[in-house]
Amino acid sequence: MKRLVVFELKKNHNIRFIKVFIIALVFVNLFNIYKNYDLLLKPTEYIINSEVCTIDKVKYRMDTDYSGAITAEKVNALKTHYNRCQSITDGKTDIQEKLYFPLAYTDMVQTEILLNEMERLYKYDAQSIEKLLQNNEMLKAEAQGAENEYNYRIAALIEKVYSNRSLSNFYRVNEYEPLLTYQFSSLCVLLLSCFAAAYLFSGEKENGMNSLIRATEGGNVKIFIAKATGLFIFCVETCAFFFISDFVLFGLCRKPTGLFEPIYSLKAFEYAPLNTSILLFYLLLCFIKLLGVFAVANISMFFSAAFRKSYISLLCSLLSIGGFMYSGLYTDGMFSVLKHVNPISLITSVNLLQRFYVENIFGHPVFSVIVTMIGVLSFGVVLCIIAYKVSIWRRPANA
């Protein structure tokens, strides 16, 4: 079986034009990140007080100087710097202060932004979490009084998730947000996986090899398992390559810090229902996206088993991707259940992980992302079974 899997994986690597498409999509993806998200590789230059200044580079140096634990000394030093810059801006010429920027007013504005972020982080547990838990206690008491078991369980889950949260460090964690919400590389992986899957069976039919393979011992179950496993490994390879390159290039373009800080230290993820580090959150996100990509690849594998021509299989796969993306816009009413079997929901799963989203499963609150993972995986398994049945069906298209 191991040799069969390796053989099928090599066939995926040797599909006509696949390497050209990989190189082209990698280039487009990296260029897209550089063009639209770069702050520090080629920083924008501004004229401040008749001097050329790269604000993002100076801001990075400023952030680096105050990174680490939020202490009274750092806060007081920033406040003093802010007050001195304000006095200089107001016209007091007798004040001597070392400036980061060519103009005291710019220093004052950037210092205020830094102070506000430090304050947000330091008071996170008191301002955000404490208020949330106080309101939750009221809802919990109301649910208990009304004997509403489901609402009581939701309140208990909220208490479990958000208790004992606190932040005391300042880093450039908000610069991770563009990386976590970036979706273009996922589209590239989708296209490559569908392209490879479309040739799994159709390619052999075009070469007149399918009937010969079916006539061999183990030409049905073993070959199918080897193809599906090889396709999954191909999806893992492409996902790993694109997601690692995303991580590296975003790191060069924005230079975020605090990789091991909690994910809720990001302003956009302050209510994320996970108490894990930014690094583990990103790895989890990549894994969930991989499951979605493989589910979509299964659709392409089904079309490859159903049709004789590879281009027809690929075209049907691309139309299916478009259909799933379009159906993802409808999440209410009768379509609310369909989103949990839509593979695109996993590929855009960061939306499910930014807030506390749960589903009522037999009276128990279950996180929406878990329900979606189970639904999409079940959908993928059913597709695999159908694809297998179609691939061994005796008909002219399988000749």
Side-chain angles (χ1 to χ4, degrees), residues 27-57:
F27 175 79
V28 171
N29 181 57
L30 296 180
F31 180 77
N32 181 61
I33 296 173
Y34 170 75
K35 187 69 176 177
N36 296 302
Y37 296 94
D38 177 48
L39 293 180
L40 297 169
L41 282 180
K42 190 178 180 182
T44 304
E45 295 182 343
Y46 300 88
I47 303 297
I48 300 177
N49 199 25
S50 302
E51 293 185 29
V52 177
C53 176
T54 52
I55 292 179
D56 292 312
K57 269 195 171 182

Side-chain angles (χ1 to χ4, degrees), residues 96-110:
Q96 298 294 323
E97 182 71 11
K98 183 180 178 181
L99 302 177
Y100 284 92
F101 296 90
L103 192 65
Y105 176 78
T106 311
D107 257 66
M108 182 183 71
V109 171
Q110 295 298 331

Side-chain angles (χ1 to χ4, degrees), residues 21 26-27 43-45 71 88 94 98 103 107 116 181 189 191 195 200 236 251 270 275 287 326 336 345 350 381:
F21 288 156
V26 167
F27 175 79
T44 304
E45 295 182 343
T71 62
I88 295 172
D94 58 331
K98 183 180 178 181
L103 192 65
D107 257 66
N116 289 339
T181 56
V189 173
L191 295 175
F195 187 80
L200 280 180
V236 171
E270 59 182 350
N275 296 315
F287 175 73
Y326 184 76
S336 60
S345 298
V350 67
V381 169

Side-chain angles (χ1 to χ4, degrees), residues 184-215:
F184 185 75
S185 57
S186 301
L187 177 61
C188 294
V189 173
L190 266 183
L191 295 175
L192 288 171
S193 299
C194 286
F195 187 80
Y199 281 83
L200 280 180
F201 298 99
S202 297
E204 291 172 347
K205 295 172 190 176
E206 290 173 339
N207 294 326
M209 295 297 295
N210 193 56
S211 298
L212 181 62
I213 291 173
R214 296 300 164 205

Side-chain angles (χ1 to χ4, degrees), residues 334-355:
M334 63 177 290
F335 296 100
S336 60
V337 178
L338 297 179
K339 66 184 178 183
H340 295 305
V341 295
N342 188 342
I344 304 300
S345 298
L346 286 188
I347 295 170
T348 59
S349 57
V350 67
N351 300 324
L352 298 175
L353 295 171
Q354 282 185 277
R355 293 290 186 271

